[in-house]
Amino acid sequence: MSIVWEQVASQTKIESAAVSCLSLNSTMDSAPKRVRVTLGERSYDVLIGYDLLPRVGEHIRSIGLKGRALLVADEVVARIYSGIVRDSLAAAGYSVVTFTFSTGESAKSFSVLESLAEQFANAHVSRGDFVVALGGGVTGDLAGLLAGIYVRGLQLVQIPTTVMAQVDSSVGGKTAINLRAGKNLVGTFYQPRLVVVDPATLSTLGAREFNEGIAEVIKYGIIRDESLLDRLEGSLDQLDSLIERCVQIKAEIVAADEQETTGERALLNFGHTLGHGIEAVAGYGRLLHGEAISLGIRAALWLSVRHADLPPDQLTRVMALLHRYQLPTQLPEDLPIPAILETTKVDKKFTGGEIRFVLTSKLGSAFVTPGLTRADLEAALLFLRT
Amino acid sequence: MSIVWEQVASQTKIESAAVSCLSLNSTMDSAPKRVRVTLGERSYDVLIGYDLLPRVGEHIRSIGLKGRALLVADEVVARIYSGIVRDSLAAAGYSVVTFTFSTGESAKSFSVLESLAEQFANAHVSRGDFVVALGGGVTGDLAGLLAGIYVRGLQLVQIPTTVMAQVDSSVGGKTAINLRAGKNLVGTFYQPRLVVVDPATLSTLGAREFNEGIAEVIKYGIIRDESLLDRLEGSLDQLDSLIERCVQIKAEIVAADEQETTGERALLNFGHTLGHGIEAVAGYGRLLHGEAISLGIRAALWLSVRHADLPPDQLTRVMALLHRYQLPTQLPEDLPIPAILETTKVDKKFTGGEIRFVLTSKLGSAFVTPGLTRADLEAALLFLRT
């Protein structure tokens, strides 16, 4: 077991059937895997490997960042991991200032963003310093946006510590906060300089938090690589290699369409249009993001059966996977469908009065269609009640 | 007189000696002047000409913008000009939704930004729509930032209506809001698709608002083109050509250093480091931005005499100009110097523990120096008391 693993063992709470079948030490002695996100001057590496957390300082030093490290984490993640990261940064010669906020999706708000910005100002943060976003998707989105707008841009390093963040949200430069009216409506495209993924951090996730990230892995399987579904149906060892494959897909799509202009990046929104609406209407926090996406995936597959000739047994196959990872597939009765549809209208996928929806005709590939109506989406939501 | 002029005449209040010597109709029948801001794919034109406001719709149509026009203006500007702009947009086939906020520097805040973002969401704004920022520097900074972060980016048209905004803040893509701790600390580099400058709108400015903009013209004269100072010492006719020259300078500098990385763009901060500090400590609104910059210009020139061999009579020459345009040159007694210095430490010009200060050895050119100390800045502020 690595140093990280020993240090956090006392705070670890492994409840998940999914986690218990992992072989967390499978590759920890090898060099980290490296996935390049190719974006011209803004290109960067995603490093993936066990035991990377205690070496994050040297990896940041190797890409030439100077100034102070501004470590941003929620209170829970800070308690578990900020010590290791601070020590590593200090060993690499960096001064570190730590900024924390209360855990949860509600942190993706203007008020928390403003509070962190004022704390940056009080710490005399300047353009020479850089942000280290340590945590899950909420932290990456929030600290990434802060990095993008504070003094019009600070360098950014992402250290994702959840499945969700490691396979998806830390890569590709999307940052965001929520509005009352909808999720991720305010944000930037702002690429990090480096992403450091240490799968050992997943050992401290509860079952719900682990499984919600699997929803995004299922999404990658549906839109790009059916073999990911095979792996999820198997024993789920070699988590680092599973993450690497997801990051490769994300990197390819982002390199082809950084700012979601050609439509390719929109494929990553499979399951997200209705998922975001459900998440917002449930109230942030009741359903985890990945749980709402699980519902969105089921709805999108049902629409794919109706409108894109997806064989119905493929929907059944994915349903079995969602259930295996204890992801919800039924829309709670108290979430009103009209409100979800209304929220969907303010989603970013809605352009010029038309919803762009992602469908699949065959697992492993997907496409964007503008042809669906409000009635189609309503029918899909009614189906989710069953 | 143009249509614009006639329509606004009843609300016009010309109090300024400066305004009264203008020849506002000097070039209104000619084609607009056009200054190109060259930034690769993000290049755009600044159109400058009398009588452009009633034709803004056709100019926006000519660059190919689609979707709805999201007109953002403060309440005062909306009352005077939004009708003309709305009519013009409608005549060009656009639907228009208008969003207003209370006038003043205090509008450059997280709370107003959030409120406008929620209003955008309620209006079902989507990526196909575009923002039209109609007003002074505050509106351009605020609406520009909103355009940059709403659904991660909406197209933006700037229609500046003050001297300050027409010669400076509408061009170059800087957007910002203020924090309690300092001015413009949160923002983006986000270029507009088009800037439309109609000098006829300056007729509705009061003397203070007109003259504060002249502080920026003086700045351009000091850093790049001494002949601008000659023109300000003269009769100030042909305001469109004066604006054009300022925009040319700004465009050159921005094209050379869009994101203030090479140092060239930092030249535009001449007078701004201490000016921002003074403005923040005075409390936003007590001193107009250009008035604080006037004090900052005087301080920077005094430091230039001491540290860069600027001939003292050049300081005297600019002092006469500042007085001619009724700009303040004495630091009010109740603004504590330690507080101004503290604010200066959080300014964006402060990098890696060192302040980068802009000095001049000869009017018409300037340079950035890292060599000044806190004691130097303190001495300059003490000088401003005299």
Side-chain angles (χ1 to χ4, degrees):
Chain A
M1 276 293 156
S2 71
I3 289 171
V4 180
W5 183 252
E6 302 284 9
Q7 285 185 313
V8 302
S10 66
Q11 307 196 41
T12 303
K13 188 171 152 207
I14 304 180
E15 311 169 319
S16 165
V19 170
S20 64
C21 65
L22 297 181
S23 170
L24 279 167
N25 57 353
S26 55
T27 59
M28 88 177 82
D29 292 327
S30 57
K33 300 172 187 298
R34 189 179 292 263
V35 179
R36 185 78 172 164
V37 183
T38 306
L39 290 166
E41 286 179 352
R42 296 188 311 291
S43 298
Y44 57 95
D45 283 335
V46 183
L47 304 181
I48 304 158
Y50 290 93
D51 213 11
L52 271 179
L53 215 56
R55 292 184 287 151
V56 68
E58 63 195 80
H59 286 295
I60 291 173
R61 182 63 73 187
S62 74
I63 62 164
L65 293 191
K66 295 182 169 54
R68 291 179 298 169
L70 313 166
L71 184 62
V72 180
D74 72 35
E75 287 163 355
V76 172
V77 170
R79 204 158 53 232
I80 306 178
Y81 293 116
S82 68
I84 301 165
V85 172
R86 268 202 308 267
D87 289 351
S88 172
L89 287 162
Y94 292 109
S95 298
V96 185
V97 193
T98 304
F99 303 85
T100 61
F101 58 91
S102 297
T103 307
E105 182 75 26
S106 61
K108 286 176 59 175
S109 66
F110 266 106
S111 69
V112 175
L113 186 70
E114 178 175 15
S115 161
L116 287 170
E118 292 283 3
Q119 289 175 55
F120 271 28
N122 293 336
H124 295 170
V125 166
S126 76
R127 284 200 182 139
D129 303 326
F130 61 93
V131 172
V132 178
L134 174 68
V138 167
T139 301
D141 281 3
L142 175 67
L145 178 53
L146 181 63
I149 64 177
Y150 195 81
V151 295
R152 299 198 186 95
L154 297 166
Q155 309 270 25
L156 171 65
V157 174
Q158 292 275 11
I159 309 181
T161 61
T162 64
V163 180
M164 171 67 65
Q166 292 186 350
V167 302
D168 187 5
S169 62
S170 68
V171 177
K174 281 194 177 178
T175 77
I177 56 175
N178 304 322
L179 295 176
R180 281 191 295 279
K183 190 173 161 74
N184 293 344
L185 286 176
V186 166
T188 52
F189 290 101
Y190 193 71
Q191 300 295 341
R193 288 289 310 279
L194 181 69
V195 181
V196 180
V197 175
D198 186 341
T201 58
L202 305 182
S203 63
T204 49
L205 293 177
R208 264 188 89 181
E209 288 70 28
F210 185 92
N211 289 333
E212 72 144 340
I214 297 297
E216 297 288 355
V217 182
I218 293 171
K219 177 195 77 180
Y220 286 118
I222 292 170
I223 67 168
R224 187 58 70 99
D225 183 354
E226 194 185 354
S227 77
L228 279 170
L229 304 179
D230 299 336
R231 291 166 73 169
L232 290 174
E233 286 161 348
S235 71
L236 206 66
D237 55 358
Q238 298 205 299
L239 203 54
D240 55 345
S241 128
L242 188 81
I243 294 166
E244 181 189 25
R245 180 65 193 123
C246 293
V247 170
Q248 281 170 349
I249 295 171
K250 180 85 181 249
E252 280 169 26
I253 291 175
V254 168
D257 180 20
E258 183 185 6
Q259 302 207 356
E260 214 163 307
T261 43
T262 69
E264 174 129 5
R265 186 160 185 166
L267 299 179
L268 293 168
N269 293 323
F270 186 89
H272 281 59
T273 302
L274 289 172
H276 279 170
I278 292 166
E279 188 180 2
V281 170
Y284 298 119
R286 174 172 162 191
L287 285 173
L288 298 178
H289 174 62
E291 292 172 342
I293 295 315
S294 172
L295 289 160
I297 285 174
R298 186 182 175 214
L301 288 174
W302 184 78
L303 286 165
S304 295
V305 170
R306 286 190 69 168
H307 297 281
D309 296 323
L310 179 73
D313 64 334
Q314 302 299 287
L315 168 55
T316 312
R317 179 186 178 190
V318 176
M319 282 291 282
L321 261 184
L322 296 173
H323 289 149
R324 174 173 187 170
Y325 291 94
Q326 296 162 42
L327 288 161
T329 54
Q330 264 191 310
L331 185 65
E333 284 298 331
D334 62 329
L335 300 188
I337 287 174
I340 297 169
L341 289 170
E342 188 63 17
T343 304
T344 301
K345 282 176 73 176
V346 298
D347 199 81
K348 296 181 296 303
K349 269 70 74 182
F350 201 81
T351 302
E354 224 172 34
I355 194 86
R356 292 178 300 141
F357 209 87
V358 189
L359 296 177
T360 175
S361 295
K362 181 179 183 310
L363 296 184
S365 69
F367 63 95
V368 178
T369 176
L372 295 192
T373 63
R374 182 188 161 96
D376 294 325
L377 303 194
E378 187 174 9
L381 289 168
L382 280 167
F383 169 72
L384 285 187
R385 294 271 198 229
T386 64
Chain B
M1 278 288 154
S2 72
I3 289 170
V4 180
W5 185 252
E6 303 284 10
Q7 286 185 312
V8 303
S10 64
Q11 309 195 40
T12 302
K13 186 169 154 207
I14 302 181
E15 311 168 320
S16 163
V19 169
S20 64
C21 65
L22 298 180
S23 169
L24 279 168
N25 56 354
S26 55
T27 60
M28 87 174 86
D29 293 327
S30 56
K33 302 171 187 296
R34 186 179 295 260
V35 179
R36 185 79 174 164
V37 184
T38 306
L39 290 167
E41 285 180 350
R42 298 189 309 291
S43 298
Y44 56 95
D45 284 334
V46 182
L47 304 180
I48 304 158
Y50 290 93
D51 213 10
L52 272 179
L53 215 56
R55 289 183 290 152
V56 69
E58 64 197 78
H59 287 293
I60 292 174
R61 183 60 74 187
S62 74
I63 62 164
L65 293 191
K66 296 183 167 52
R68 291 179 298 170
L70 312 167
L71 184 61
V72 180
D74 72 35
E75 286 163 355
V76 172
V77 170
R79 204 159 51 234
I80 305 178
Y81 293 116
S82 68
I84 300 164
V85 173
R86 267 202 309 267
D87 289 351
S88 172
L89 287 162
Y94 291 109
S95 298
V96 184
V97 191
T98 304
F99 303 85
T100 61
F101 57 91
S102 297
T103 307
E105 182 75 27
S106 62
K108 285 176 59 175
S109 66
F110 267 106
S111 70
V112 175
L113 186 68
E114 178 175 13
S115 160
L116 288 170
E118 292 283 4
Q119 289 175 55
F120 271 29
N122 293 336
H124 296 170
V125 166
S126 76
R127 283 201 183 136
D129 301 328
F130 62 92
V131 171
V132 178
L134 174 69
V138 167
T139 301
D141 281 3
L142 176 67
L145 177 54
L146 181 63
I149 63 177
Y150 195 80
V151 296
R152 300 198 184 94
L154 295 167
Q155 310 269 26
L156 171 66
V157 174
Q158 292 274 11
I159 309 180
T161 59
T162 64
V163 180
M164 171 67 64
Q166 291 186 350
V167 301
D168 187 4
S169 62
S170 69
V171 178
K174 281 194 178 179
T175 76
I177 56 175
N178 304 322
L179 295 177
R180 282 191 294 277
K183 190 173 160 74
N184 292 345
L185 286 177
V186 166
T188 52
F189 291 101
Y190 194 74
Q191 301 295 341
R193 289 289 310 278
L194 181 70
V195 182
V196 180
V197 175
D198 186 342
T201 59
L202 305 180
S203 63
T204 48
L205 293 177
R208 263 188 91 182
E209 287 70 28
F210 184 93
N211 289 333
E212 71 143 342
I214 297 297
E216 298 286 357
V217 182
I218 292 172
K219 177 195 78 179
Y220 285 118
I222 293 170
I223 66 168
R224 188 59 71 100
D225 183 353
E226 194 185 354
S227 78
L228 279 170
L229 304 179
D230 299 337
R231 291 166 73 169
L232 290 175
E233 287 162 347
S235 70
L236 207 64
D237 56 358
Q238 297 206 299
L239 203 53
D240 54 346
S241 127
L242 187 81
I243 294 167
E244 180 189 25
R245 180 65 192 124
C246 294
V247 170
Q248 281 169 348
I249 295 171
K250 180 87 182 246
E252 280 168 26
I253 291 176
V254 168
D257 179 20
E258 182 185 6
Q259 302 208 355
E260 213 162 308
T261 44
T262 69
E264 174 130 5
R265 186 158 183 166
L267 299 178
L268 293 168
N269 293 323
F270 186 89
H272 281 58
T273 302
L274 290 173
H276 279 169
I278 293 166
E279 187 179 3
V281 170
Y284 299 119
R286 173 172 162 191
L287 286 172
L288 298 178
H289 174 64
E291 293 173 341
I293 295 315
S294 172
L295 289 160
I297 286 174
R298 185 180 175 215
L301 288 173
W302 183 79
L303 286 165
S304 296
V305 170
R306 287 189 69 169
H307 298 281
D309 296 324
L310 180 73
D313 65 332
Q314 302 299 287
L315 169 55
T316 313
R317 179 186 178 191
V318 176
M319 282 291 283
L321 259 184
L322 296 172
H323 290 150
R324 173 173 188 172
Y325 291 94
Q326 298 162 42
L327 288 161
T329 55
Q330 265 193 310
L331 186 64
E333 284 299 331
D334 63 329
L335 299 188
I337 286 175
I340 297 169
L341 289 170
E342 188 63 16
T343 305
T344 302
K345 283 177 73 178
V346 300
D347 200 81
K348 295 180 297 303
K349 269 71 75 181
F350 200 80
T351 300
E354 224 173 32
I355 193 92
R356 292 178 298 141
F357 210 88
V358 188
L359 297 178
T360 175
S361 295
K362 181 180 184 310
L363 296 184
S365 69
F367 62 96
V368 177
T369 177
L372 295 192
T373 64
R374 183 188 161 97
D376 293 326
L377 303 195
E378 188 174 8
L381 289 169
L382 280 167
F383 169 74
L384 286 187
R385 295 271 200 230
T386 65

